[in-house]
Structures are given as C-alpha cells and as structure tokens.
Amino acid sequence: MCLLLYVATSGEQACFETDVLKVEEVDPARESVRQWLSLPVVRFVGAHTGCSCDFESVIANEPFEFYEGMFEYDKDNEDDLRSMQALVALIRQHVARDGRVELFPVWDGDEPKPPLGTIEKRLSALQPETWFFVQHFLYRVTADPP
C-alpha cells in the first residue's frame, strides 16, 4: 500500500516525469478523490520512487509543527529531499500562476474517505527541509501577502 499525493489547481497541470518527480493523470479507479478538492485540475504527484511515500509525512490526528531532528536527510535519502524540493518548486509555480493550490496526501484506497481536516499554509512556509504532510489532511497553499 502506498501514499498517494493529489494536487489540485485552477489552471492546467502538464503531466511529466523526471528522476525525482512525476505528475500524472488521476487513475480512473481513484477519481473519487476529486470530491474533496475544490479546484478543477487534479493530478497525482509521485516522488523519485514513483509513489508519494518518499515525501516526508506523518500519521496524526491533528496537525503539528516541525521540530529539530524530526527528519534527517543524509546520503541514504538524498533523493527524498530532491523530490521534496521539486514538489515545492512545482507548488510555487502553480501558486504564482493561480493564487492557490490544494494537496491531499492519502493512502491508496482511502480516496473516498473525507479529509480529517484542512491545513492552511502560506507559500513561504513550504521549506523542503522542514515541511511535511500530515496524512489524510487537505492542504490549501496560498501566496504570501504582498
């Protein structure tokens, strides 16, 4: 079973694959995820492993802040960090164009289940070394105020 990250935007999202990130159409068997996202263009986003498991995430009943030592990046998981950096860059592009992005990290097969809650984030809060997902929470990322 894998973690799957869905990203929703109001504008088009091109599908592509690099060595650290891939963006694909939503598999027809997982279309139920769209009911939780308010933006019309939804894609699956995978890390360097193909699924979304290598984006840093935790299982918790409520959101909490990063603390020092929570995740340690070293040579063994350098690709995880590169995937997170590519994801944050992608989110920044979409927020710059559309004003906001929604993200929903959920275990494969749990797409029909409603989010546990919503987490609002400003774009500047997304630092690849310290940002992580609380699984099954809906994220809304917006631009920083001018």
Side-chain angles (χ1 to χ4, degrees):
M1 205 168 194
C2 284
L3 184 71
L4 302 178
L5 176 63
Y6 297 97
V7 177
T9 60
S10 58
E12 189 53 43
Q13 293 186 58
C15 293
F16 67 90
E17 186 169 350
T18 69
D19 61 331
V20 294
L21 195 72
K22 75 175 182 176
V23 177
E24 298 179 340
E25 296 282 341
V26 174
D27 184 288
R30 296 174 176 88
E31 285 287 328
S32 62
V33 76
R34 293 179 186 278
Q35 68 185 310
W36 313 119
L37 301 159
S38 67
L39 300 173
V41 182
V42 181
R43 299 284 185 262
F44 160 76
V45 178
H48 64 95
T49 54
C51 67
S52 306
C53 292
D54 288 300
F55 296 128
E56 296 293 359
S57 68
V58 297
I59 298 172
N61 291 326
E62 59 187 45
F64 60 93
E65 295 298 316
F66 174 84
Y67 55 86
E68 198 61 41
M70 188 171 165
F71 303 113
E72 296 293 328
Y73 289 108
D74 57 25
K75 288 190 186 281
D76 291 337
N77 59 4
E78 177 175 290
D79 287 337
D80 294 355
L81 178 58
R82 290 179 52 230
S83 288
M84 190 59 109
Q85 289 167 334
L87 174 63
V88 169
L90 181 71
I91 292 167
R92 288 181 183 174
Q93 289 174 354
H94 289 304
V95 169
R97 183 192 69 199
D98 300 331
R100 70 182 174 129
V101 168
E102 293 177 336
L103 303 107
F104 190 38
V106 60
W107 284 101
D108 185 15
D110 284 349
E111 291 90 349
K113 296 178 183 176
L116 296 174
T118 301
I119 299 172
E120 304 282 341
K121 289 281 188 185
R122 293 287 187 180
L123 193 55
S124 61
L126 306 187
Q127 300 303 317
E129 298 78 15
T130 59
W131 186 46
F132 63 96
F133 293 107
V134 180
Q135 296 173 14
H136 217 89
F137 276 79
L138 176 66
Y139 284 75
R140 290 196 175 115
V141 179
T142 55
D144 296 305

